[in-house]
Amino acid sequence: MTRKIGIIGMGNVGAACAHYIVACGFADDLVLIDENEQKVQADALDFEDAMANLPYHTNITINDYHQLDDADVVISSVGHIKLLGGDHPNRFAELKPTGSDVANVAQKLKQTAFNGVLIVISNPNDVMTSLYQELTGLPKAQVIGTGTLLDGARMKRAVGKAFAVDPRSVTGYNLGEHGNSQFTAWSTVKVMDQPVADLAQQNGLDLAQINEDVRMGGFTVFNGKGYTNYGVSTAAVRLALAVINDAHSELPVSNYRSEYGVYLSYPAIIGRGGVLKQLQLDLPQDELDKLQASADYIKKNLQ
């Protein structure tokens, strides 16, 4: 059984996803699609040149949607990240142009036999994930956004730095929109199995300041180099691997939550069929209120 992944959109993020997949041998077949024919051809050739120095081989094809017929996973990284700058950064700046691109891609996907899991990186993430599901007609469980899987990684980085531990020693979630209304659910966060709120109080640390570092992390990277790519591409590939390996991994991703009537980030069990099970956290009222506010914000922009 071969492992097949498609990537649609070979900008900085899509290319970083592809490089991670090729360098680590995560797929047997990789399909790269982009409107810029010259760019995608160049990337494919560059990856093929790299294989002589890699322990893995990946078969690469370009710009053929029907090669996605039997793909396990398709990653959408189309977007217009250059619109995110300014004094008040907001991922919804990408809404109209990226929405148009998503509609075009969804129409082409619908003409294929693809019935795998669609992983959406495109921003605003929750809205674009919802749009893809509606336009492709794929089951909701099979259309997933990277959502706050990235924000959670940023939280673990910030908390790990604050307490001088490896970020993998931090557990917990960021929930809601992948955007300005996302929040760290501090009630879920632990450092080496100790509640972070207790440790912060003992060490005189301000969780609100750490949370702001998390919220603005992507924009800090963007303002420094004009785009973000490594963090989000790693999140997308991790999610793709959970699908391909039928890993049953617990991950905070953008998935459709019927109680909120919208896609937003909340932990779910991810495997071969996409979302296999949705979890239910025991959150305090203030975090439930933040989650509802985030859901309302997403729904407002969906309209």
Side-chain angles (χ1 to χ4, degrees), residues 1-8 21 27-33 59 61 64-76 109 112-119 138 142 240 243-244 271-274:
M1 181 177 176
T2 60
R3 304 159 299 165
K4 193 171 194 178
I5 297 175
I7 299 174
I8 303 176
I21 291 166
D28 302 297
D29 298 298
L30 182 62
V31 183
L32 307 178
I33 294 176
N59 299 308
T61 56
D64 184 351
Y65 269 87
H66 284 289
Q67 283 289 331
L68 303 177
D69 286 351
D70 59 346
D72 301 292
V73 173
V74 168
I75 297 172
S76 167
L109 266 180
T112 72
F114 173 69
N115 193 36
V117 175
L118 177 58
I119 294 173
L138 287 166
Q142 290 174 225
V243 173
I244 287 178
R272 171 66 66 172

Side-chain angles (χ1 to χ4, degrees), residues 245-261:
N245 297 327
D246 196 24
H248 291 229
S249 298
E250 179 182 332
L251 298 171
V253 295
S254 186
N255 60 113
Y256 185 82
R257 297 289 304 200
S258 58
E259 68 269 43
Y260 295 103

Side-chain angles (χ1 to χ4, degrees), residues 18-25 42-58 60:
H19 179 256
Y20 189 19
I21 291 166
V22 171
C24 295
D43 278 331
L45 183 58
D46 212 1
F47 290 138
E48 288 170 354
D49 288 343
M51 285 181 207
N53 291 313
L54 291 173
Y56 312 103
H57 178 82
T58 307
I60 298 176

